[in-house]
């Protein structure tokens, strides 16, 4: 069953495709290196990024040499991903994670970065199991903002809540037991986490907040503009223009259970 997000308030990532592409390409290099070390995008592998958005993961991991695919339910996001991936041999498709248009045992690795909570797990887990090769890997990753440990983040999230009281900011550290995948399908769970400080300007952090689910995907343009003005004013008062904000990187890696033992 799907998790109820934001008390059921509708949101549309396609409304924020331009700002998403401009302001959310902010993962640190250490995260890409970690994904590669777990098998994603290594030369000779075939890998799929679900919930790919504007293709951040496949685009930034293209340099490692794997055969890369991206899928997202939003057509606007996929249009932007293809635009940003010109010159790269990355294949994209409009598709939900619950029903993927790929053959059985197609991929060495499937990733879900910053999107696992949106999926219907009862459908997504067996579907990812289906498209993975024997001993293929499922990688779930997040970069969490930490409002209880960073005042600028806390003030920003409080302002989003002012404009969208239903928004769930997911503003806490993730722990090992916060993500679980059915042992009927996957085994050998690995959990890796570390903190990092992401650099921002007032404009880039303002853009990052506009591109979060609680603002542009959910609100009217008039509301978005009002939020942006108030947020920038807060940043002018509280920052010197260039600053770093504390985030937590969490990665959960699972191996496809051997089919001899499934069922």
């Amino acid at each position: 069953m799907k998790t109820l997000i934001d008390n059921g308030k509708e949101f549309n990532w396609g409304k924020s495709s331009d700002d998403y592409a401009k302001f959310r390409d902010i993962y640190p290099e250490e995260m890409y290196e970690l994904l590669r070390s777990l098998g994603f995008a290594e030369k000779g592998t075939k890998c799929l990024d679900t919930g790919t958005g504007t293709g951040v993961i496949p685009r930034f991991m293209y340099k490692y040499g794997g055969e890369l695919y991206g899928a997202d339910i939003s057509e606007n996001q996929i249009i932007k991903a293809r635009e940003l991936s010109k010159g790269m041999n990355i294949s994209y498709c409009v598709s939900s994670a619950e029903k993927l248009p790929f053959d059985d045992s197609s991929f060495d690795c499937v990733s879900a970065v910053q999107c696992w909570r949106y999926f219907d797990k009862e459908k997504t887990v067996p579907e990812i199991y289906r498209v993975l090769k024997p001993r293929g890997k499922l990688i779930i990753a997040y970069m969490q903002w930490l409002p209880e440990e960073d005042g600028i983040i806390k003030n920003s999230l409080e302002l989003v809540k002012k404009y969208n009281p239903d928004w769930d900011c997911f503003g806490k550290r993730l722990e090992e037991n916060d993500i679980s995948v059915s042992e009927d399908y996957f085994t050998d769970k690995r959990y890796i986490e570390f903190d990092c400080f992401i650099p921002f300007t007032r404009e880039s952090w303002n853009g990052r907040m506009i591109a979060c689910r609680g603002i542009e995907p959910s609100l009217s343009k008039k509301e978005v503009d009002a939020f942006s003005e108030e947020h920038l004013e807060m940043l002018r008062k509280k920052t010197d223009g260039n600053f770093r904000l504390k985030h937590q990187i969490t990665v959960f890696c699972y191996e496809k259970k051997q089919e001899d033992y499934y069922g």
Side-chain angles (χ1 to χ4, degrees):
M1 182 177 296
K2 288 187 177 181
T3 303
L4 186 63
I5 304 292
D6 301 340
N7 291 319
K9 183 180 179 68
E10 291 187 2
F11 59 91
N12 178 6
W13 285 118
K15 291 171 59 180
S16 65
S17 293
D18 289 341
D19 284 325
Y20 195 106
K22 186 175 181 180
F23 296 111
R24 294 192 61 156
D25 294 359
I26 56 175
Y27 299 120
E29 187 62 28
E30 302 97 300
M31 178 169 162
Y32 297 120
E33 287 288 348
L34 176 56
L35 296 181
R36 183 202 59 77
S37 73
L38 294 171
F40 192 92
E42 284 213 291
K43 190 173 182 179
T45 63
K46 183 177 178 181
C47 302
L48 168 67
D49 183 45
T50 58
T52 198
T54 58
V56 176
I57 297 303
R59 284 191 285 114
F60 278 80
M61 300 200 70
Y62 184 73
K63 61 187 178 184
Y64 296 118
E67 182 181 350
L68 299 178
Y69 292 72
D72 197 279
I73 198 170
S74 168
E75 183 176 6
N76 283 349
Q77 294 282 70
I78 291 297
I79 290 172
K80 181 60 67 171
R82 288 174 175 150
E83 175 187 321
L84 294 170
S85 300
K86 285 182 179 178
M88 301 179 184
N89 187 22
I90 302 173
S91 298
Y92 291 104
C93 65
V94 178
S95 171
S96 70
E98 290 84 356
K99 189 172 178 58
L100 296 166
F102 302 107
D103 293 336
D104 295 357
S105 303
S106 294
F107 296 100
D108 297 284
C109 190
V110 174
S111 65
V113 179
Q114 216 72 12
C115 58
W116 187 251
R117 57 175 58 101
Y118 300 123
F119 298 159
D120 183 337
K121 313 304 186 300
E122 291 183 0
K123 296 178 180 178
T124 300
V125 171
E127 183 68 349
I128 291 176
Y129 175 92
R130 180 186 67 79
V131 301
L132 277 173
K133 297 177 183 179
R135 299 191 180 279
K137 292 180 180 178
L138 164 62
I139 299 175
I140 301 167
Y142 279 99
M143 186 168 77
Q144 293 285 109
W145 41 37
L146 302 172
E148 297 309 313
E149 302 176 44
D150 193 300
I152 296 300
I153 295 176
K154 183 177 182 180
N155 293 155
S156 297
L157 302 194
E158 289 173 346
L159 189 59
V160 176
K161 292 282 283 186
K162 173 183 173 181
Y163 283 82
N164 185 354
D166 289 316
W167 180 57
D168 185 343
C169 68
F170 303 119
K172 71 177 186 68
R173 283 186 173 275
L174 281 179
E175 298 180 356
E176 184 171 0
N177 293 327
D178 287 335
I179 301 288
S180 61
V181 174
S182 172
E183 294 180 357
D184 289 339
Y185 296 95
F186 290 92
T187 186
D188 293 338
K189 174 180 177 179
R190 292 183 62 188
Y191 169 71
I192 305 162
E193 67 90 24
F194 61 90
D195 290 349
C196 60
F197 289 85
I198 307 299
F200 290 96
T201 63
R202 291 168 182 158
E203 290 72 23
S204 67
W205 179 240
N206 177 247
R208 170 66 184 91
M209 295 310 302
I210 287 172
C212 81
R213 188 185 68 257
I215 297 298
E216 199 166 36
S218 300
L219 303 180
S220 69
K221 186 179 185 306
K222 182 178 180 180
E223 292 170 317
V224 172
D225 290 344
F227 166 83
S228 179
E229 182 177 350
E230 189 170 351
H231 188 233
L232 283 171
E233 180 60 25
M234 182 271 285
L235 293 176
R236 283 190 285 268
K237 291 178 180 178
K238 293 181 177 292
T239 72
D240 62 2
N242 292 278
F243 48 92
R244 299 190 308 158
L245 300 179
K246 190 175 183 180
H247 290 68
Q248 177 201 29
I249 301 290
T250 52
V251 177
F252 304 79
C253 182
Y254 301 84
E255 183 175 294
K256 178 177 179 176
K257 197 168 185 179
Q258 295 184 55
E259 296 185 33
D260 289 344
Y261 297 108
Y262 172 63

